[in-house]
Amino acid sequence: MRIGIPAEIKSGEFRVGMVPASVRDLCAAGHDVLVQAGAAAQIGFSDADYSVAGARVVASAAEAWSAELVLR
């Protein structure tokens, strides 16, 4: 399954749908995870953290929202 994780757009809100450890578990189970670039920067996780976990970092919210399942 393709799973998308877009960045939060509400002012002052920094939550993210999944942290890299959870993304690693999904990728290990065979899922394709798309994380919008910068989605978790405010809580201390970099795009590289998500890439190492197996996610594909995508440039736009539209790409993350194109997934079969979106986590917010």
Side-chain angles (χ1 to χ4, degrees):
M1 177 178 283
R2 194 173 60 249
I3 302 167
I5 303 172
E8 179 59 60
I9 59 171
K10 185 176 180 182
S11 179
E13 185 60 64
F14 305 116
R15 288 182 285 186
V16 65
M18 297 192 97
V19 296
S22 299
V23 167
R24 181 177 300 109
D25 292 341
L26 286 176
C27 291
H31 299 288
D32 183 21
V33 180
L34 310 174
V35 178
Q36 183 180 348
Q42 294 293 329
I43 61 168
F45 294 112
S46 69
D47 293 341
D49 294 330
Y50 283 96
S51 290
V52 168
R56 287 192 293 143
V57 177
V58 296
S60 70
E63 290 174 281
W65 279 97
S66 72
E68 298 167 283
L69 173 68
V70 176
L71 302 175
R72 294 199 37 188

